[in-house]
Amino acid sequence: MSSRTYMRMWLESQAALKELLAQELPSQPPRPEKDQRLFFHLLATLFLRYTQILRCLETCYDQMVHPQKRRVLQHMLDGVMGRVLELKNEMVETELSEYHYMDDVLQDLKLTPADMEVPIPRYFVNQRAKALKERQQVLSEILARVEPSMPSGPSRPAMLRDEAVQLVQMAERMRQGRLRSKFMWEIRRDEERERRARESGAKELDREQAALCIQKVWKGCLQRRCTKLERQREMAFIGMAPDPKALGLSAAMLRAQLGEEFRHLRQADYEAEYQQAMVSIREGLYEVEGPDMREEMKEQLRQWFIECHDLTGRFPEFPDEEIGGSSILFAEKTPEQVKAELDLLEAEGQRKKDKKKDKEKTKEGKQKKGKDKKQEEDEGLKLALSKFLPVISEGFTQYQTIWGNRDESDNFEQRYEPELIKAQKRKEVEKELRLQVDELMREELQRLKLAVDREEGKPRKEKKSSKQQKGKKGGKKEKDLTPDRTLDSLYEELVLQGILKQAQRVQLADYTGDFCYLGTTLRMAGIEPTPSVMDIRQNITLYAILRLGSPTLHEMAPQVKSVLLAGPAGTGKKMLVHTVCTETGANLFDLSPDNLVGKYPGKAGLSMLMHVVFKVARLMQPSVIWIGNAEKTFYKKVPKEEKQGVLWMGVSIPWVVQSLGPCGLRKVGTGSLPYKAATWLTPSD
């Protein structure tokens, strides 16, 4: 498809977003909804509409080649994904269930169950393709060095001579029996053929009878072949067998696939050109417009000095860098307004102290009044405040301002716009020059005070930044147990110990399954339906893949620290773990009890293991920490058949995908997992 097609898709998404923003950000606050079913219907409608917009934006971002449009698209894409996660969280709190059935909403919106699938943005992996390839190469090299030296497994004991002779004799008797059976079948076939010839009298068939015989055999063969093909088509139609036509790509599909790959190559080329243009345009602005900007700032500051001196009889105090320096003076304000603002900033600290005292006094009274009000009036259900609606609104406004009515008839190849880069870099150059001018004008102001007002220059007290103050107030930093070791050495150690593993390349689409069509009917009958495979795919996408793939969602979306996969053997729990790593390009750390037997023994070894794992996982984000057969870590008494090595751990896990051996998915608490003390249980214990 052409660039015009994707621009049309973007325009349609903007129109849909405009309707949703008008619905979610009305001029008057909406009334709370007291009916839970109507409120869930509203949430489900918003969820499905945002999902459709997300699918369009993801396609546009993946195929557009214009570098500046892609930045606006990614900003909006993250905002829409975050809103989808917020709506999912509200649906869970409303229904108290991780699985939702929206048959009536799908029917109202004229959508199919396949439209409920939340798409996974391809930029999670594409933007980090080079880093992932290098990491994969390093991991393959380490495994190649280790595998030849690793024992292949326990060697079988040597077979005795008599047993070997008996095994050979048995195989020889079976071979002779097969030959004898085949020989007897051929004899019976020849005898039957001779018997039929004698019964027919060995008459020679004329030409017409022979042709009829051949036609009968050929028609029977054709009919059997057609019946077989019809059977295959029927099985493919009902979904019981793969469609033979789908196994091979058609010419149109091949052309479309090649077009997508060509667009990806153009994206990389245009991005490199854009980055180079940003550097060159910034240098040009600094050299051409920089001197004029610098002189203009100086003249404005000198004029401000004179106006303040004429008004108050004294030169003003120069604003500190923490409050913006001289930038607060160039907001089209009079000297009186600037002086009033500076006075307010100085008095703000005292006001905050007074407010804290008043809050402490009135806190108890407010709590009592709040309880009484909640008992008196029933507010009902309403949408919670969203962190992502401002992001979506900002992206929508940016699109309308820059790209809504822009004429791109002369930009057929969709390259970068130099004027937009100049407007962006001009602000950066102005900010950098302002810092330099502020230092010079502070010295000049001090000299003016000494010359005109005869004031002695008082040494300026350096204020400690808020980060330094928070650092002192904060708790103790975690002790680094490996300060002298590099990240590469720790990475290699975990690979050699089998803790950091190479994830299998499995896509989430490979976890095939259909929608639960009786979910709403069963719930109306008071029966909780079994989650379908599609429900599990959707929850894996929402709880694990989107949050791991996007740093913005991981920071702003409702927090989910761990995910529990529960089900019998063979339901695909381990496959889903590898799917999360494949779709996000995450590292896979295996902390399963069976994998930790004989590694890092003792309490000190356990502390070192946890430190190394979390240090590498933190420095090489995103990462997935997988605990297979997690129920073994909670044993009070180890069964006799499993007394080979069970590790009990006490850790706080930021992202854990646990495999626990009904296939379902649910969240675990956001705090630390309640593991036991670190001990080893062996047969000798």
Side-chain angles (χ1 to χ4, degrees), residues 76 115 138 176 191 225 256-257 313 418 439 494 514 518-519 552:
M76 297 185 63
D115 295 325
V138 172
Q176 292 179 4
E191 290 177 352
R225 187 181 299 175
Q257 188 175 359
E439 293 296 328
L494 292 176
D514 208 346
L518 297 177
T552 305

Side-chain angles (χ1 to χ4, degrees), residues 23-24 100 126 157 173 193 255 268 271 282 284 307 338 362 461 465 508 541 554 610 628 645 647 673:
Q23 180 180 354
E24 294 206 73
H100 316 288
N126 293 342
R173 284 194 293 268
R193 189 178 296 171
R255 285 195 300 270
E271 181 66 25
R282 186 184 185 281
E307 291 178 1
V338 174
T362 57
K461 294 182 180 180
S465 62
L508 187 62
T541 303
H554 189 68
M610 293 295 102
L647 182 67
L673 294 180

Side-chain angles (χ1 to χ4, degrees), residues 552-586:
T552 305
L553 299 184
H554 189 68
E555 180 181 355
M556 298 177 61
Q559 196 175 26
V560 175
K561 287 191 173 182
S562 54
V563 176
L564 175 67
L565 299 176
T571 53
K573 302 182 296 297
K574 187 175 180 181
M575 175 183 177
L576 291 174
V577 175
H578 290 282
T579 295
V580 174
C581 297
T582 302
E583 298 287 359
T584 60

